[in-house]
Amino acid sequence: RKEVEQDPGPFNVPEGATVAFNCTYSNSASQSFFWYRQDCRKEPKLLMSVYSSGNEDGRFTAQLNRASQYISLLIRDSKLSDSATYLCVVKGFQKLVFGTGTRLLVSP
Amino acid sequence: EPEVTQTPSHQVTQMGQEVILRCVPISNHLYFYWYRQILGQKVEFLVSFYNNEISEKSEIFDDQFSVERPDGSNFTLKIRSTKLEDSAMYFCASTTGAEKLFFGSGTQLSVL
């Protein structure tokens, strides 16, 4: 089983749509969880950390279910600029383990 | 915002040659990392470095790879004898030890 598993997509949505991404992880000892965003041929950039209580940052909502080892990201009111690859990331002792990413394409 | 700086942005080399990828982490950071991303694939952990020594490394980081922090500011990744399959984007990252990891913009290594 992969350490971090994501649907690669692509997810094609119109502007203004709501889209949800899911991710599962295999290591129950994982300590911290994140969503990163990666634009084509660029470095990953932290979008938000993910907490069990759920957390929101503007149009973005992240949720963690430790029992199911499941992480989600919800994007509301999608913008063209949201088009990117969204990486589910899990932190063990020190290193980050990345999923393959889910590609999002927002069209006019 | 402070930045992690990587040079060169693009490196082309012949198979079997040695390459050194350079990184300048953010000045007050304590933990340093190298990751790589083969085109179309996921970001993969190579090595972490803390207190002037390797703290963790992956299976990818074999004897052909080494890291150094020669002068307190630079952090380098050396590949002794490059292979075709070493072609990838190599990302340096650093952190204070808190959660946020800062990535450099990467070095695209092309092995011919």
Side-chain angles (χ1 to χ4, degrees):
Chain A
R1 184 181 172 186
K2 291 180 184 175
E3 285 188 88
V4 180
E5 203 147 1
Q6 294 182 252
D7 180 344
F11 283 53
N12 290 284
V13 301
E15 267 187 294
T18 295
V19 61
F21 305 137
N22 303 317
C23 163
T24 56
Y25 61 95
S26 60
N27 186 352
S28 58
S30 299
Q31 300 174 354
S32 307
F33 309 88
F34 310 92
W35 284 100
Y36 275 71
R37 170 191 169 131
Q38 187 175 30
D39 293 289
C40 189
R41 313 290 286 170
K42 302 284 190 185
E43 74 273 24
K45 291 187 176 176
L46 179 65
L47 181 65
M48 58 197 303
S49 300
V50 188
Y51 305 111
S52 298
S53 54
N55 49 301
E56 193 173 302
D57 183 2
R59 297 180 295 107
F60 299 84
T61 301
Q63 194 80 44
L64 165 66
N65 184 323
R66 282 190 184 267
S68 304
Q69 294 179 203
Y70 173 96
I71 305 162
S72 65
L73 176 69
L74 184 77
I75 305 175
R76 289 180 300 278
D77 189 23
S78 300
K79 311 290 185 196
L80 294 176
S81 56
D82 293 334
S83 296
T85 297
Y86 289 83
L87 309 175
C88 178
V89 183
V90 172
K91 187 178 178 190
F93 172 56
Q94 281 189 15
K95 70 181 185 187
L96 298 183
V97 179
F98 287 78
T100 52
T102 298
R103 193 163 169 224
L104 173 65
L105 299 170
V106 182
S107 53
Chain B
E1 188 171 64
E3 287 184 345
V4 174
T5 306
Q6 288 187 245
T7 54
S9 57
H10 199 159
Q11 174 87 50
V12 181
T13 190
Q14 295 290 326
M15 193 168 57
Q17 295 296 304
E18 174 183 287
V19 293
I20 297 176
L21 310 183
R22 302 181 191 280
C23 170
V24 179
I26 295 170
S27 60
N28 64 333
H29 285 188
L30 302 173
Y31 297 81
F32 313 110
Y33 302 81
W34 283 100
Y35 284 81
R36 79 171 186 190
Q37 187 173 30
I38 295 170
L39 186 63
Q41 297 187 25
K42 67 176 184 178
V43 177
E44 299 176 290
F45 170 77
L46 292 178
V47 66
S48 59
F49 192 86
Y50 171 71
N51 202 25
N52 286 320
E53 60 183 23
I54 291 173
S55 49
E56 190 175 356
K57 60 183 181 179
S58 71
E59 293 172 354
I60 303 167
F61 195 88
D62 61 21
D63 292 344
Q64 293 299 311
F65 291 86
S66 62
V67 288
E68 266 193 338
R69 190 157 159 78
D71 56 13
S73 61
N74 291 286
F75 180 50
T76 61
L77 175 70
K78 183 193 289 185
I79 310 174
R80 288 190 184 80
S81 178
T82 50
K83 305 181 185 68
L84 295 176
E85 55 264 36
D86 293 328
S87 295
M89 180 75 89
Y90 287 80
F91 292 110
C92 174
S94 70
T95 179
T96 56
E99 299 212 323
K100 185 173 180 180
L101 206 59
F102 291 77
F103 282 86
S105 55
T107 294
Q108 177 64 56
L109 176 65
S110 300
V111 182
L112 306 179

